[in-house]
Amino acid sequence: FNIVVGWVILANAIVIGLETDMGLFGFGTPGWTALDHDMSGAHVDGARQNGVKILFNQIFGDDRAAKGDLQQFANNTFHVDIDFRQGFPAGERAAYTLVEYLFVLFYVVELCMRFCDQGCKKTLPSFCCRAIGDGWKILDISVVFLGILDLGLALVLGHHPSLSATRLLALLRTTRVLRILRLFRVCHELKILGGAYRKAFWAVLWVGALILVINFVIAVLLTSLIGQKTYLWGEKKDLIESWFGSVGRSMQTLFTIMTLSGWDNIANELSEVIPGTIVMPAIVLYIMLCCFTMAS
């Protein structure tokens, strides 16, 4: 039975990938990329950019309301059924196809079969959700509940939901990716690997905490010794300040060096004031400590 469930989940993953490529996922709101680029090129500040976006949203809403009033007037006058808002992206992009209904129906039947076969205690999570396997039980129930809610709200709201309702529907559509995680439940090998990965991840978190402490200490020193003396670099003081002007910027620069990205450029700029015999060994020692040593 788990093999069948696994194949269905894989098929559902393929459908989710196709829907994503076709632009059927997302929040269905106007894209501001080109508008942001144009306003940034015109040196429009952030407050005015937000004002323009709010104005455009109002225009979109007024246009949609006007089309709704015109549609109602025409239908009542000529006794016809015309949809002037057909093609408006808010409601037409929701991909509630027959395939999605079949997937949700399968997950509902699967949960019912598990309930009948294993009983209430082995299918539903414990009261405090602390028993072994409760996480998978919660995931199973969440997949079914969110799938039904996803399809049910689409039917209730109709073809032309409001902007907030469209965002809610889009959020529910994106929760379909949770179904793919159920592969770790139905495939024993993946479940074993996932458990090992989880244990390793906790160890990595502690390593990350150690690096964070080391980076914070070094960032304080760099901000005091370099970030507060950017005037020594003359015309390049703005560049140095962007790297070490505050503790946060210094930590970001250190993280960039850890990834071995652009550290040579940073070293060259610092060497214009600080002797290179100090800068290069310091950076190499830092890379060895926080990159190579931690990775090994």
Side-chain angles (χ1 to χ4, degrees):
F1 180 71
N2 283 339
I3 296 177
V4 176
V5 175
W7 281 108
V8 172
I9 294 175
L10 287 176
N12 199 173
I14 295 174
V15 172
I16 290 174
L18 292 175
E19 289 180 341
T20 304
D21 288 341
M22 291 186 294
L24 299 176
F25 274 25
F27 289 87
T29 55
W32 302 109
T33 304
L35 183 61
D36 284 337
H37 183 270
D38 293 340
M39 288 193 293
S40 298
H43 304 290
V44 180
D45 56 52
R48 292 185 179 180
Q49 289 187 23
N50 292 332
V52 172
K53 293 178 183 179
I54 294 174
L55 178 61
F56 271 100
N57 274 326
Q58 292 176 350
I59 294 174
F60 293 150
D62 294 340
D63 177 71
R64 191 177 177 200
K67 289 181 179 179
D69 295 338
L70 180 61
Q71 172 184 322
Q72 183 178 3
F73 173 77
N75 291 340
N76 293 336
T77 303
F78 302 104
H79 304 288
V80 294
D81 187 12
I82 303 175
D83 188 1
F84 290 103
R85 297 175 295 181
Q86 186 175 4
F88 192 82
E92 301 299 333
R93 293 175 56 184
Y96 299 111
T97 61
L98 177 62
V99 176
E100 179 60 23
Y101 283 95
L102 293 177
F103 280 126
V104 174
L105 178 62
F106 177 85
Y107 295 133
V108 172
V109 173
E110 179 209 353
L111 185 63
C112 293
M113 292 179 65
R114 291 186 184 277
F115 184 83
C116 295
D117 180 55
Q118 301 176 355
C120 180
K121 292 184 178 180
K122 293 185 178 181
T123 306
L124 300 179
S126 61
F127 179 76
C128 297
C129 297
R130 294 182 178 180
I132 298 176
D134 278 351
W136 295 116
K137 298 173 185 177
I138 294 174
L139 179 61
D140 292 340
I141 297 174
S142 299
V143 165
V144 173
F145 175 76
L146 292 174
I148 295 175
L149 187 63
D150 181 7
L151 298 177
L153 281 179
L155 294 176
V156 172
L157 296 175
H159 293 286
H160 304 288
S162 62
L163 182 60
S164 59
T166 302
R167 291 176 175 174
L168 177 60
L169 290 174
L171 180 62
L172 289 174
R173 288 199 298 272
T174 56
T175 59
R176 297 178 190 174
V177 298
L178 294 176
R179 304 170 186 176
I180 304 175
L181 297 179
R182 299 189 66 242
L183 284 173
F184 291 93
R185 172 176 173 80
V186 299
C187 182
H188 182 66
E189 289 75 9
L190 285 178
K191 192 173 184 179
I192 294 176
L193 292 175
Y197 184 85
R198 176 175 56 85
K199 294 179 181 179
F201 181 71
W202 284 112
V204 172
L205 284 181
W206 283 110
V207 172
L210 176 60
I211 293 178
L212 183 64
V213 172
I214 295 175
N215 281 352
F216 181 80
V217 173
I218 298 176
V220 171
L221 295 177
L222 291 176
T223 304
S224 301
L225 299 176
I226 299 177
Q228 297 178 0
K229 297 180 181 180
T230 57
Y231 59 88
L232 296 175
W233 277 264
E235 296 180 353
K236 296 184 179 180
K237 66 177 182 179
D238 292 336
L239 179 61
I240 303 300
E241 185 176 358
S242 67
W243 286 339
F244 306 103
S246 63
V247 174
R249 292 178 181 178
S250 297
M251 293 186 67
Q252 182 178 0
T253 303
L254 290 173
F255 181 79
T256 302
I257 297 175
M258 279 180 55
T259 61
L260 305 180
S261 174
W263 68 270
D264 53 340
N265 184 31
I266 297 175
N268 292 333
E269 297 298 339
L270 294 179
S271 298
E272 293 186 2
V273 175
I274 304 174
T277 54
I278 298 178
V279 174
M280 293 301 296
I283 291 182
V284 170
L285 179 62
Y286 173 78
I287 293 176
M288 292 177 60
L289 176 65
C290 291
C291 183
F292 298 150
T293 304
M294 297 301 178
S296 60

